[in-house]
Structures are given as C-alpha cells and as structure tokens.
Amino acid sequence: MSIELLHHHAALALAYVASVAAAGLGVAACDRPAKETSTSAAAEIESEPKRKVPLLVPGDETIPAGHAGELVRQGRLYATRTSEELPQLVGSDLHCTSCHLEAGTRGNAGPWVGLSSAYPMYRARAGREITLEERIDECFERSVNGKAPGKGSPVTRAFVAYIEWLSRDVPRGSEVLGRGFPRVERPPIVDPDNGRNVYAARCASCHGANGEGRRQADGSYQFPPLWGDRTFNIGAGMARLDTAAAFVRHDMPLGRPEPLTATDAYDVAAYFTEQPRPDYLPKSGDWPRGGKPPDARY
Ligand code: HEC
Ligand code: HEC
C-alpha cells in the first residue's frame, strides 16, 4: 500500500472521529449488541467504550515466511477472487471484496483490520456470542449466497490467517476508526421512485440497467450485480436499508467523482434493496432473542 493511500486512510479516519464525536456514537459496527445482552460478561466488556486507533494496513514485507505466509496470501486470494476461486461455496458472482473494499482494508467499507481482537462478540441476529469463524460463515451463506466453509476448514483457516495478519498492529481492546459501515442519518422521507432515477443516472453505467452487473470482454469480473439471481440474498446485511444506504453514501459510485447526498443514497438503497434477489430460507431463525433492527426485511 502506498504512503499516499495511507494518508488518505488517515484523513478518512480523522473525518470519521469528528463524525463519531458529533453523533455521540461509540460503536460503528452494523449490528450493535442489543441492550438486553448486558447480563453476559462478554457483552459487558463489548459495551465498554473501546479506544479508537487509526486504521493502518501492514505492508506486504511483514507477511511471514513459509507456510504461515502462504496461508495469509491464500486468504487474500480467496477474498479478492471469491466466486472464481471457490465456486463450490459461492452462489453468486461476488467477491468478499465487492463490499469489503480494497481487500478488506478500506475504512467505512467493512474493513477487516482489527477484527481478530473484536471477536468473539455478541450478535443480536444470532442471539448469542459468535466467533470470527462463524462471522465468516455468515457472510458466505448470506452475502455471497453460498455455503459455510465451517470452522477448521482450509478455507476458513486462510481467511482467519489473512484477517489476523491485517490486525497485527491493532492492540487488543481497541477498535479501528471506520469499522463497519457507519450509519448516515435517515431522511424523514425515503423515496424509491427518486431512487430509480438516481440509479439510472449514477449507477447503471457500471451495474447495468437491470442491476445485473457487467463482465469484462473475456467474461471475468468487472462490476458486480446488485439484484437478480447472482448476488447477495435477502438475509445479507446489504439487503437492509440502513446498511445499503451507508455503503452507498460512503463508497459509491466507486471512485467517487461526486458522492451522493444522504437523501439520494437512501432513495437509491430503497430502490435496489427491494429488487428481486435470492431468498434465505433459515431467515426465520434470525434475532431469536429480540433486538431486530427497524430496517430488517423480514
Ligand atoms: C454484499 C456485500 C458483502 C459481501 C459480498 C461480503 N460481505 Fe461481509 N459484511 C457485509 C456487511 C454489510 C457486514 C456488516 C454486518 C451486517 O450488517 O450484517 C459484513 C460483515 C462482515 C464481517 C464482520 C465485520 C465486523 O466489523 O465485525 C466479516 C468478518 C465479514 N463480513 C466477512 C466476509 C467474507 C469472508 C466474505 C466473503 C465470503 C464477505 N464478508 C462478503 C457485506 C458483505
Ligand atoms: C464506476 C463504476 C461504478 C459506479 C458508477 C457505481 N458502482 Fe457500485 N461498485 C462498483 C464496483 C467495481 C464494485 C465492486 C468493488 C470491488 O470489487 O472492488 C461495486 C460494488 C457495489 C456494491 C456491493 C456489491 C454488490 O454487487 O452488491 C453495491 C451495493 C453498489 N456497488 C451499489 C452502487 C450504487 C447504488 C451505485 C450508484 C449510486 C453504484 N454502485 C455506482 C462500481 C461502480
């Protein structure tokens, strides 16, 4: 990673400190532990305000030699070429890094830096504390509409090795700035009809008139699909309005010549999240102990 990019990250991080301070929010992750979990000791530790540290990405020269380093590189390859490398586990044309941008290193785009010390953590959607391995399984089942590789599998071990390497400089008990997809304020009225127009003007050139995405001439990955059979399913975090709006506001259109206003981000998120996409049958088991967020789709 270039120094310039690091500076860019640092600038984003500072901007984010300011926004966190302004909003009075402590945690940036999407599904924050629900209040009723404070009976669990681990949840209590989770709910303590964590020291915020800048998001810094280790240089490749710090990848260990030998088998340990091979596993880190394997994890990064799986993350950045998920549908091609793991077709048996993936039921979409997505990569993990279609959403966890820049190989899981970009702030405000679900960065993986620092996650090793954030897990295990309580998740209201699961109704219990889950491990990092389980969190990876969840994104396999929902976000790439596939199958869980499972704890101990070579695939999971590679992802964990990569995430641990990315997290090597983040002290335990702290949290990186720009974790998750920090929420933006929801406008009083959300209008999917305006969202359709925003989509046509600002998104369709890359993601296609029907959300189908676009491939390069040789058939390889270029712009991922937003709806239809080959994208994230209804159980994914990205199918939720607040999460999708946050992602769009912070990260799209990619390259960001001109970011969308919060209102346009919400309107376009309302439009594309409601389009047809694969179902997720086990969804009826979600939020077993309450804490369902208001923007849940089911
Ligand atoms: C369609 C977008 C999308 C794709 C593709 C995706 N994720 Fe995610 N991921 C999310 C969202 C959104 C969250 C935030 C939590 C939520 O709202 O459910 C998340 C959260 C995570 C987290 C926890 C982050 C934290 O701060 O605690 C991990 C780990 C993760 N994803 C791993 C993966 C892996 C591994 C893959 C590929 C197999 C993947 N994700 C693919 C959208 C995606
Ligand atoms: C310049 C091309 C471009 C434009 C314009 C653009 N995107 Fe994207 N978008 C991308 C690329 C490329 C990715 C995947 C990033 C990667 O793989 O590194 C992506 C990823 C996404 C994802 C997560 C992955 C998925 O397929 O679900 C969503 C959601 C998304 N874009 C929504 C939008 C919306 C909404 C707009 C319009 C406001 C938009 N994008 C405009 C290029 C673009």
Side-chain angles (χ1 to χ4, degrees):
M1 163 142 317
S2 74
I3 299 291
E4 248 180 326
L5 211 51
L6 281 181
H7 282 153
H8 175 66
H9 282 278
L12 275 180
L14 286 178
Y16 180 58
V17 183
S19 70
V20 163
L25 297 172
V27 184
C30 301
D31 295 271
R32 268 169 266 140
K35 278 223 179 63
E36 79 265 25
T37 65
S38 60
T39 46
S40 133
E44 252 159 30
I45 294 165
E46 276 299 324
S47 65
E48 266 172 32
K50 291 192 167 176
R51 191 159 66 89
K52 301 279 180 179
V53 296
L55 193 166
L56 295 174
V57 182
D60 273 15
E61 70 285 356
T62 67
I63 296 179
H67 179 68
E70 277 163 34
L71 211 54
V72 170
R73 291 180 198 277
Q74 189 67 48
R76 179 159 64 188
L77 182 68
Y78 287 154
T80 53
R81 291 183 44 83
T82 324
S83 52
E84 295 89 341
E85 293 290 324
L86 300 168
Q88 72 284 10
L89 292 175
V90 177
S92 67
D93 296 332
L94 300 185
H95 299 159
C96 303
T97 54
S98 302
C99 303
H100 300 281
L101 298 179
E102 292 167 14
T105 66
R106 182 144 124 197
N108 298 339
W112 292 350
V113 179
L115 289 190
S116 306
S117 65
Y119 286 83
M121 118 179 216
Y122 182 85
R123 292 260 299 160
R125 188 171 70 188
R128 61 184 175 84
E129 194 170 271
I130 65 164
T131 60
L132 180 58
E133 287 85 351
E134 289 173 303
R135 189 67 191 82
I136 292 168
D137 280 350
E138 288 184 358
C139 259
F140 264 95
E141 290 173 330
R142 298 160 187 258
S143 296
V144 300
N145 188 40
K147 291 195 206 107
K151 188 174 163 49
S153 68
V155 170
T156 302
R157 282 175 39 233
F159 273 100
V160 170
Y162 178 52
I163 293 174
E164 274 173 1
W165 171 71
L166 283 175
S167 308
R168 67 196 287 275
D169 299 326
V170 180
R172 276 209 88 81
S174 50
E175 182 169 286
V176 301
L177 291 156
R179 178 164 174 209
F181 300 85
R183 292 288 180 261
V184 296
E185 203 181 323
R186 192 198 277 227
I189 296 167
V190 178
D191 175 8
D193 288 332
N194 178 49
R196 181 196 310 270
N197 299 333
V198 174
Y199 184 82
R202 303 295 308 276
C203 319
S205 58
C206 292
H207 291 290
N210 297 306
E212 72 280 20
R214 204 202 301 153
R215 290 168 179 277
Q216 307 199 36
D218 65 0
S220 60
Y221 177 97
Q222 188 176 17
F223 300 122
L226 300 192
W227 67 88
D229 293 342
R230 300 296 302 170
T231 190
F232 58 89
N233 67 43
I234 194 169
M238 195 60 81
R240 285 176 41 197
L241 177 61
D242 292 334
T243 309
F247 179 78
V248 172
R249 171 85 171 118
H250 293 298
D251 301 302
M252 289 292 139
L254 200 76
R256 300 174 56 76
E258 226 188 300
L260 266 54
T261 62
T263 303
D264 280 352
Y266 258 94
D267 290 353
V268 77
Y271 172 66
F272 82 78
T273 56
E274 292 291 336
Q275 299 299 318
R277 62 184 62 264
D279 196 6
Y280 179 65
L281 292 177
K283 66 182 187 284
S284 54
D286 285 352
W287 297 290
R289 300 166 67 192
K292 189 192 259 202
D295 66 332
R297 295 285 307 281
Y298 45 88

